[in-house]
């Protein structure tokens, strides 16, 4: 955590408001679904992870402590694997056939622009009617203005992580730099290093911060379809290990996975106050807590 922080700025206030508006939009979409209803709405966001690696090792990221072989091996060495191109196209085809035309991000806990196929795949997704909202630490883009030109207008929005500024002036200068770099694509910023969410497996995570008030909150973070580089489907942004065993898109259809009896049961049970107590992953979740 950062000590002696700069005063909260308008940008920070805006980001926090945006965060809570997004959360309550999810709630409004699902809050009227009865506890025992036998279905759930279609996913409202989509993540397809092109590859497994990242060029950073941020203290607030769930990659930090991983030694499972998903992000890092037992020695802490980064895992570098790619989703087959044919599988990526198949996923895009499946979701658009289901009628999905929302946002797509080509990452999970990885840096998307480390994949040389990015422009090709983003172009295909755009032609299929998807809007791309990408998240990046900006390292690859900073010294690649030509690549940024290819991205500009191809992707709808880009959220750039600002992690290295030392004061408010440096933060403003970095924001100005990126806004000048993109003219057609909307630019937003992540200030996670300064205002991190506490996520499991990160350096920040501490079970001692958990209390019954948090555990008794309803959870509405299950509205997105998040597909790991190996095809495994996560329940939510905290389920990178895919402990809920929802299925693998390489072996089953997205329709069958999303509207499976098991998935519907889990999602609806988490909407009930205290429902997260039924699942160990959810009982230990602090993702609703901002430092």
């Amino acid at each position: 955590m950062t000590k002696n922080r700069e005063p909260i700025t308008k940008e920070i206030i805006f980001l926090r408001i945006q965060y809570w508006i997004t959360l309550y939009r999810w709630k409004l979409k699902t809050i009227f679904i009865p506890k025992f209803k036998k279905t759930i709405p279609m996913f409202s966001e989509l993540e397809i992870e092109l590859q497994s690696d990242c060029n950073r090792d941020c203290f607030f990221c769930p990659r930090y402590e991983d030694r499972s072989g998903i992000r890092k091996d037992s020695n802490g060495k980064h895992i570098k694997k790619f989703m087959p191109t044919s599988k990526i196209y198949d996923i895009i085809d499946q979701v658009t056939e289901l009628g999905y035309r929302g946002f797509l991000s080509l990452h999970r806990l990885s840096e998307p622009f480390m994949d040389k196929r990015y422009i090709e795949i983003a172009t295909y997704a755009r032609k299929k009617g998807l809007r791309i909202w990408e998240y990046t630490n900006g390292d690859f883009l900073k010294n690649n203005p030509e690549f940024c030109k290819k991205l500009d207008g191809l992707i709808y929005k880009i959220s750039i992580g600002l992690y290295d500024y030392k004061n408010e002036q440096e933060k403003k200068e970095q924001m100005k730099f990126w806004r000048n770099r993109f003219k057609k694509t909307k630019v937003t910023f992540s200030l996670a290093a300064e205002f991190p969410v506490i996520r499991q497996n990160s350096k920040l995570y501490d079970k001692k911060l958990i209390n019954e008030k948090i555990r008794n909150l309803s959870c509405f973070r299950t509205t997105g379809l998040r597909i790991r580089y190996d095809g495994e489907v996560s329940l939510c942004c905290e389920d990178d290990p895919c402990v809920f065993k929802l299925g693998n898109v390489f072996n089953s259809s997205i329709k069958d996975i999303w509207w499976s009896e098991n998935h519907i049961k889990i999602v609806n049970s988490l909407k009930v106050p205290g429902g997260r107590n039924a699942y160990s992953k959810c009982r230990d979740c602090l993702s609703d807590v901002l430092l």
Side-chain angles (χ1 to χ4, degrees):
M1 292 184 293
T2 304
K3 296 181 179 179
N4 299 321
R5 293 176 179 169
E6 296 287 335
I8 294 179
T9 63
K10 291 181 179 179
E11 289 87 353
I12 297 300
I13 294 172
F14 173 77
L15 286 170
R16 288 183 172 178
I17 292 173
Q18 190 177 50
Y19 170 85
W20 288 111
I21 287 175
T22 301
L23 180 61
Y24 282 105
R25 278 178 178 171
W26 293 346
K27 289 187 178 183
L28 287 173
K29 285 183 179 181
T30 55
I31 200 166
F32 298 110
I33 296 178
K35 179 178 178 180
F36 300 108
K37 192 167 183 178
K38 296 182 179 180
T39 189
I40 54 175
M42 183 186 288
F43 39 92
S44 60
E45 55 185 317
L46 172 64
E47 292 179 357
I48 306 172
E49 186 169 51
L50 303 185
Q51 56 89 34
S52 62
D53 199 12
C54 186
N55 58 306
R56 289 203 175 211
D57 201 21
C58 300
F59 68 93
F60 52 81
C61 179
R63 297 179 58 94
Y64 191 88
E65 298 286 359
D66 183 72
R67 298 294 185 274
S68 67
I70 296 172
R71 302 295 170 184
K72 298 176 183 178
D73 65 18
S74 58
N75 296 315
K77 184 178 179 181
H78 288 212
I79 299 297
K80 298 181 180 181
K81 294 183 179 180
F82 294 82
M83 184 182 287
T85 304
S86 60
K87 297 296 185 182
I88 298 168
Y89 287 152
D90 180 56
I91 294 168
I92 293 172
D93 290 343
Q94 284 191 61
V95 299
T96 53
E97 286 171 9
L98 288 171
Y100 180 74
R101 294 296 186 276
F103 285 118
L104 163 66
S105 298
L106 297 172
H107 78 289
R108 275 283 293 122
L109 292 179
S110 52
E111 171 54 44
F113 301 123
M114 290 174 69
D115 196 309
K116 295 180 180 179
R117 303 170 296 173
Y118 190 93
I119 296 296
E120 170 196 336
I121 293 166
T123 300
Y124 183 81
R126 172 84 179 269
K127 288 179 180 179
K128 298 289 284 190
L130 301 179
R131 293 186 296 169
I132 301 173
W133 183 350
E134 207 54 83
Y135 294 77
T136 176
N137 56 45
D139 291 351
F140 178 80
L141 300 180
K142 191 171 184 179
N143 297 316
N144 286 275
E146 292 303 316
F147 187 81
C148 291
K149 288 181 181 179
K150 293 179 181 179
L151 287 177
D152 197 16
L154 173 62
I155 61 177
Y156 177 81
K157 186 183 294 188
I158 187 167
S159 183
I160 301 168
L162 303 182
Y163 309 143
D164 303 321
Y165 56 85
K166 297 180 178 64
N167 52 54
E168 192 69 20
Q169 182 59 35
E170 285 190 6
K171 179 165 63 177
K172 290 179 180 179
E173 289 172 358
Q174 290 181 26
M175 288 179 172
K176 182 179 180 180
F177 171 86
W178 289 114
R179 288 181 178 127
N180 288 334
R181 180 61 62 92
F182 293 95
K183 303 299 182 183
K184 301 174 184 177
T185 294
K186 295 184 179 180
V187 179
T188 60
F189 300 99
S190 167
L191 305 176
E194 187 176 0
F195 298 95
V197 174
I198 307 174
R199 302 185 65 183
Q200 295 177 62
N201 239 23
S202 70
K203 188 178 181 180
L204 283 177
Y205 183 74
D206 185 348
K207 280 190 177 183
K208 290 182 290 186
L209 294 171
I210 298 170
N211 58 53
E212 291 308 311
K213 288 183 179 180
I214 294 173
R215 283 179 169 164
N216 287 326
L217 291 172
S218 302
C219 180
F220 295 88
R221 293 179 175 273
T222 58
T223 60
L225 174 60
R226 296 174 169 86
I227 305 171
R228 207 169 63 191
Y229 62 88
D230 56 2
E232 290 292 323
V233 175
S234 304
L235 177 69
C236 64
C237 58
E238 285 295 286
D239 184 31
D240 191 51
C242 299
V243 298
F244 291 90
K245 306 297 182 184
L246 298 180
N248 189 300
V249 297
F250 296 173
N251 306 319
S252 304
S253 72
I254 288 171
K255 181 178 180 181
D256 287 345
I257 292 173
W258 185 259
W259 283 289
S260 69
E261 183 178 346
N262 181 45
H263 186 223
I264 293 170
K265 178 183 176 182
I266 294 169
V267 169
N268 282 334
S269 66
L270 287 172
K271 294 170 188 171
V272 180
R276 65 172 70 192
N277 286 293
Y279 310 99
S280 58
K281 187 73 174 174
C282 305
R283 284 198 304 271
D284 294 339
C285 179
L286 284 164
S287 62
D288 286 317
V289 178
L290 286 166
L291 287 182

